[in-house]
Amino acid sequence: MIPAAFEFQKARSIDEAVAAISGTDGKILAGGHSLIPALKLRLSHPTKLVDISGIPHLKGIQEKNGEIIIGSACTHAEISSHQLIREKLPFMARGASLIGDPQVRNYGTIGGSLAHADPAADWPAMVLAAEADIEVQGPQGKRKIKAKDFFTGFFSIALHEHELITAIHIPIPPPGTKTSYQKFIQPASRFAIVGCAVMRFPDGRTTIAFTGVSDHAFRDYPAEQFVSGKELTPSAIHAAAEAAMVDIRIAGDSYASPVYRNHLAKVYLKKALQEVS
Ligand code: FAD
């Protein structure tokens, strides 16, 4: 349980972090709650770690130009307790509060969680339902990636080599928007065996995203069609749950078989839709 030797650099700015990582086999270190265990198990053995936890531009949550912008180095605890998030995106405050334990929430960051892209992580479902843009910066400059294009497979994301996630941009939901995050918790780690995020806008448009169910988080467009723009009656909710998981390769493990996960996903979608109705 001892990591291989590595060089350590604490970056003071985003540019310094990008320069430090470029051209190396190094890794970004944020909260360390996924990376350090991987280093200790020697699943990963970079020769350099670039610590971004002290970069002021990666911290803070603000409202600007119709968006809520969350710095990538914000911890789960900071997001969960932030007044703006509690008011405008209450499902994110709740979802963040359900991550791991206090130590994980006080160190783990939203950027680290999105970059790591654990198939059972909570943030991917929430940023998908919120139709967020992920802002990144690398040797070629800055760009934004839509959440729907970000999660590409098992622990795989659309980040290029040496790119850093810098912020998460979320359109401010119009007044009257309702949100829900429902999670069936793995009792030891508290990762999601199934997590379902839903946003219901005042015009009835509804976004639905799942985590924990498959090899990566995804938007469930077929389920959305059964409730978007329609009254959330028990029969519409039932129809959406029936339509969910079409063409999804459902994961099975020692916690839940594919059949049980499929059942849980539909139950947790119903709970989420009931909460926003
Ligand atoms: P790190 O561990 O520092 O980094 C993780 C990976 O992301 C590394 O590859 C790193 O190079 C890369 N990285 C980090 N930041 C960036 C960035 N800004 N740009 C590009 N790459 C970056 N998660 C949940 O969602 N739900 C849970 O219930 C849950 N329970 C947990 C329980 C335990 C006991 C533990 C140890 C972890 C748990 N986690 C859970 C994971 C936790 O949320 C991690 O903190 C998170 O996945 C990684 O964030 P981090 O800041 O610690 O990243």
Side-chain angles (χ1 to χ4, degrees):
M1 299 295 272
I2 311 272
F6 54 81
E7 186 191 336
F8 179 81
Q9 182 172 345
K10 194 161 174 75
R12 284 158 301 177
S13 69
I14 298 173
D15 288 345
E16 191 181 316
V18 170
I21 206 88
S22 294
T24 74
D25 71 345
K27 282 216 162 261
I28 298 294
L29 176 70
H33 270 63
S34 295
L35 183 56
I36 300 290
L39 297 183
K40 287 188 160 190
L41 293 167
R42 305 237 175 165
L43 297 171
S44 177
H45 27 77
T47 55
K48 186 173 191 181
L49 288 192
V50 178
D51 182 355
I52 58 166
S53 61
I55 300 178
H57 274 93
L58 297 181
K59 301 293 275 182
I61 299 172
Q62 53 170 317
E63 195 173 341
K64 197 175 167 189
N65 300 333
E67 293 182 327
I68 293 169
I69 306 171
I70 305 175
S72 70
C74 287
T75 63
H76 312 315
E78 285 165 348
I79 300 170
S80 158
S81 60
H82 199 279
Q83 197 51 35
L84 190 56
I85 302 294
R86 294 175 89 94
E87 272 172 25
K88 305 256 162 97
L89 297 162
F91 75 139
M92 288 193 170
R94 173 178 152 78
S97 78
L98 296 176
I99 293 176
D101 50 40
Q103 288 85 348
V104 174
R105 293 195 290 277
N106 283 322
Y107 274 91
T109 65
I110 185 170
S113 176
L114 296 176
H116 192 59
D118 190 300
D122 296 287
W123 281 117
M126 293 188 275
V127 301
L128 278 164
E131 300 181 307
D133 285 336
I134 320 288
E135 183 187 311
V136 306
Q137 185 172 331
Q140 317 302 327
K142 295 181 190 176
R143 65 185 179 120
K144 283 186 187 164
I145 308 168
K146 294 202 170 304
K148 69 179 177 61
D149 301 323
F150 191 77
F151 306 101
T152 54
F154 188 59
F155 288 98
S156 299
I157 52 171
L159 218 58
H160 296 154
E161 207 180 9
H162 304 131
E163 270 183 335
L164 182 73
I165 300 173
T166 51
I168 294 81
H169 294 246
I170 301 156
I172 295 176
T177 301
K178 293 182 180 169
T179 70
S180 179
Y181 184 65
Q182 299 292 329
K183 175 180 180 181
F184 186 77
I185 291 177
Q186 203 282 334
S189 72
R190 295 174 64 86
F191 272 100
I193 291 178
V194 164
C196 179
V198 168
M199 285 188 81
R200 172 98 172 159
F201 297 93
D203 62 359
R205 196 171 74 84
T206 306
T207 58
I208 297 171
F210 285 101
T211 190
V213 176
S214 187
D215 64 350
H216 65 288
F218 60 93
R219 276 274 292 272
D220 198 319
Y221 297 106
E224 288 179 6
Q225 282 178 10
F226 277 84
V227 281
S228 268
K230 297 178 184 145
E231 202 184 331
L232 279 182
T233 58
S235 64
I237 291 174
H238 179 77
E242 287 299 302
M245 305 299 127
V246 169
D247 293 335
I248 299 298
R249 196 162 166 200
I250 299 174
D253 54 28
S254 54
Y255 308 123
S257 67
V259 172
Y260 184 44
R261 251 195 184 83
N262 184 33
H263 170 73
L264 283 174
K266 290 172 189 285
V267 170
Y268 277 71
L269 171 58
K270 284 183 184 172
K271 278 170 170 268
L273 288 172
Q274 278 155 2
E275 191 180 2
V276 300
S277 65

